[in-house]
Amino acid sequence: MDVPLADTTSATQRSSIFSLAWPVMVSNLLQTLTMTVDLVMVGSLGAEAPAAVAAVGLGGNFVYLFFAVMISVSAGTIALVARAMGAKDQDLADHVLKQSFVLGAILSVPLTLAGVAFAEPVLVVFGATPDVVGPGAMYIRIISLVVFFQFLNFLGSAALRGAGDTVTPLWIGVLVNVVNFGINVNTIYGNAFIPRMGAVGAAIGTSISYVVGAAVLVVLFLRGKHKLRFHWGGPRGNLTTVRRIFRIGWPAALEQIMLQVAFLVWVGMVVVYGTDVLAAHQIGLRIQSFAFMPGFGFAIAATALVGQDLGARSPAKAEKSGWEAAKLSVFVMTATAVGTFLLAEYISRLFISDATVIAWSVTFIRIHAVSIPAVGVFFAIDGALRGAGDTRFPLMTSLSGIYVVRLPLSYVLGFVLGLGIVGVWIPLVVEYWYRAAVISNHFRRGRWKTLRV
């Protein structure tokens, strides 16, 4: 999809933002749906459902550590591709795509080894019960084997979005989900030829779907009909470009890794309250992921437009693009918050039929709903700053939010003051409103306009 740079009028900017954002919302929703389908399907396994849901949920939390590194490289990819396209330098954009794949291939090796080696010890450390550790560890190990293909999906989609094409990643996401569901039906429940594998079957279906999505993306890039082309010729690695990608991306990498570590610590607090509460927490996190989708969409739109505007040497237009994305994000995310709050029980029943798990899921979802408008602000401004190459301030904002606000407050409210699991969950709301206020003030000050990438 060919999206022009934003005009100076707010109406045209909003149109450009929506044109970029809505396919990202849907494609990110589909990406989240890939692992959520796993959760929903194992949630219908009868008596073993709570343990299976907890296993897939905890396994997914570990796998998100891989996604954290992928997001870091993709932050550099989308920023540099957007600037190249804004400057109308097609060769540079293609070059950034190739070097992103090189960096992704290098990083996939240690991640795969870590997933295979540390899957079970990590789950044991965080107090998972034996009926959760076994299938959870297998889930992690199987998905770890396809980390390279996940990288290709992340980086290829990021490059296309930086170039203004947000529709192609959407269709790749549709394909991945269709493949995942088709395989899951057979591997999770079994059939005449395949044994019933539960959580392990879910991992197999998800892994194969990632491989298929990556293969299709690579073919599209080799054909060069979607704004970017992958060139086999020339040097395989260019250290200067790799450094540029990494320089932009490493704060995002550190941010995501530290956030995922914090999320695991937070889950460690939840595990104390038993398998039912843990299963409810995992369901709530999946709903959280879906609720975040509009914010992610506006974040990517802000990243692409701000990067393109700065590449075209128009910082005033870049700032306006950021604020317009934030306004639209808040509007949509507020509607999302109201919907999830009111429909919390119905949504929970889609995942599992256990009454206790449903009750705790509803509590988590409704607490989280109060934070969703703030998430909309934070994501949009965070995306705008990434488009400018300013990834360090979002890093500090996110880390201070979770390590200074959420985790200490969760411990104090949940364990010191005795509010239980509700006390562990409430600081999520405080954290995101803090993040929104801090990052908005930084964007308003405008120092990001002069950064060199």
Side-chain angles (χ1 to χ4, degrees):
M1 180 172 65
D2 191 7
V3 181
L5 298 178
D7 292 343
T8 55
T9 64
S10 296
T12 303
Q13 280 186 308
R14 285 193 290 269
S15 176
S16 297
I17 291 166
F18 263 118
S19 295
L20 285 168
W22 77 260
V24 178
M25 294 179 201
V26 179
S27 59
N28 278 334
L29 184 150
L30 290 171
Q31 186 178 76
T32 301
L33 187 63
T34 304
M35 297 185 75
T36 302
V37 163
D38 296 353
L39 203 68
V40 172
M41 296 181 81
V42 300
S44 62
L45 290 173
E48 62 185 284
V53 167
V56 171
L58 279 177
N61 290 145
F62 190 97
V63 171
Y64 285 142
L65 284 170
F66 303 158
F67 290 173
V69 179
M70 297 174 199
I71 288 170
S72 72
V73 183
S74 69
T77 300
I78 192 171
L80 292 178
V81 169
R83 288 219 178 186
M85 297 300 287
K88 303 188 184 306
D89 191 338
Q90 183 68 52
D91 290 339
L92 178 58
D94 292 342
H95 176 69
V96 171
L97 169 68
K98 181 176 181 179
Q99 298 311 310
S100 296
F101 280 176
V102 170
L103 183 55
I106 294 170
L107 293 175
S108 67
V109 175
L111 292 180
T112 296
L113 295 176
V116 172
F118 298 111
E120 186 169 324
V122 167
L123 295 179
V124 171
V125 165
F126 284 97
T129 55
D131 61 335
V132 173
V133 170
M138 284 299 298
Y139 186 90
I140 293 169
R141 289 189 178 112
I142 291 169
I143 292 185
S144 296
L145 297 176
V146 296
V147 167
F148 172 67
F149 298 97
Q150 294 174 54
F151 257 114
L152 294 180
N153 276 303
F154 260 87
L155 300 178
S157 296
L160 287 170
R161 289 164 179 162
D165 180 359
T166 56
V167 173
T168 301
L170 166 61
W171 288 114
I172 298 295
V174 171
L175 173 64
V176 167
N177 275 273
V178 169
V179 173
N180 182 51
F181 180 80
I183 296 175
N184 275 0
V185 168
N186 294 285
T187 55
I188 291 176
Y189 305 120
N191 57 34
F193 306 100
I194 301 174
R196 177 186 173 107
M197 290 185 280
V200 173
I204 292 172
T206 298
S207 298
I208 294 174
S209 70
Y210 285 141
V211 174
V212 172
V216 172
L217 262 177
V218 169
V219 169
L220 292 178
F221 284 131
L222 289 173
R223 294 177 62 190
K225 295 184 177 180
H226 291 267
K227 288 203 168 190
L228 297 169
R229 178 185 288 274
F230 182 81
H231 299 279
W232 283 109
R236 293 289 181 265
N238 183 292
L239 189 58
T240 300
T241 305
V242 169
R243 282 175 177 168
R244 291 182 70 196
I245 297 169
F246 188 73
R247 186 171 65 246
I248 295 172
W250 79 258
L254 182 59
E255 174 188 354
Q256 291 299 319
I257 291 171
M258 294 299 292
L259 287 178
Q260 293 305 322
V261 169
F263 293 154
L264 288 173
V265 173
W266 199 46
V267 170
M269 297 184 190
V270 175
V271 168
V272 174
Y273 296 96
T275 300
D276 286 343
V277 171
L278 176 60
H281 184 82
Q282 298 304 330
I283 290 171
L285 290 178
R286 288 296 183 272
I287 303 306
Q288 179 187 68
S289 298
F290 283 112
F292 282 2
M293 289 306 104
F296 279 128
F298 289 115
I300 294 297
T303 300
L305 289 175
V306 168
Q308 290 175 11
D309 291 340
L310 291 176
R313 303 186 183 278
S314 182
K317 188 187 293 186
E319 181 175 10
K320 195 168 185 181
S321 293
W323 286 124
E324 288 297 330
K327 291 175 187 177
L328 292 170
S329 182
V330 170
F331 177 79
V332 175
M333 292 289 272
T334 299
T336 302
V338 173
T340 56
F341 188 95
L342 295 176
L343 300 174
E345 183 174 350
Y346 301 101
I347 295 170
S348 298
R349 291 184 183 280
L350 295 175
F351 287 82
I352 201 167
S353 59
D354 186 283
T356 303
V357 176
I358 289 172
W360 285 118
S361 298
V362 170
T363 301
F364 179 89
I365 293 168
R366 286 180 171 163
I367 290 172
H368 169 253
V370 181
S371 72
I372 293 177
V375 173
V377 175
F378 177 79
F379 279 13
I381 299 301
D382 176 82
L385 291 173
R386 292 181 192 280
D390 184 356
T391 52
R392 297 187 183 186
F393 192 84
L395 161 67
M396 300 310 299
T397 304
S398 296
L399 294 188
S400 63
I402 197 160
Y403 283 99
V404 178
V405 178
R406 188 195 300 193
L407 292 181
L409 272 180
S410 290
Y411 179 77
V412 170
L413 295 180
F415 299 97
V416 177
L417 298 182
L419 296 182
I421 188 60
V422 173
V424 174
W425 286 336
I426 285 175
L428 170 72
V429 177
V430 181
E431 176 203 350
Y432 273 110
W433 283 102
Y434 159 83
R435 285 207 218 181
V438 171
I439 204 167
S440 296
N441 182 62
H442 176 74
F443 186 74
R444 179 187 58 78
R445 295 171 68 183
R447 294 180 181 175
W448 51 271
K449 296 177 184 178
T450 58
L451 288 178
R452 293 178 59 86
V453 298

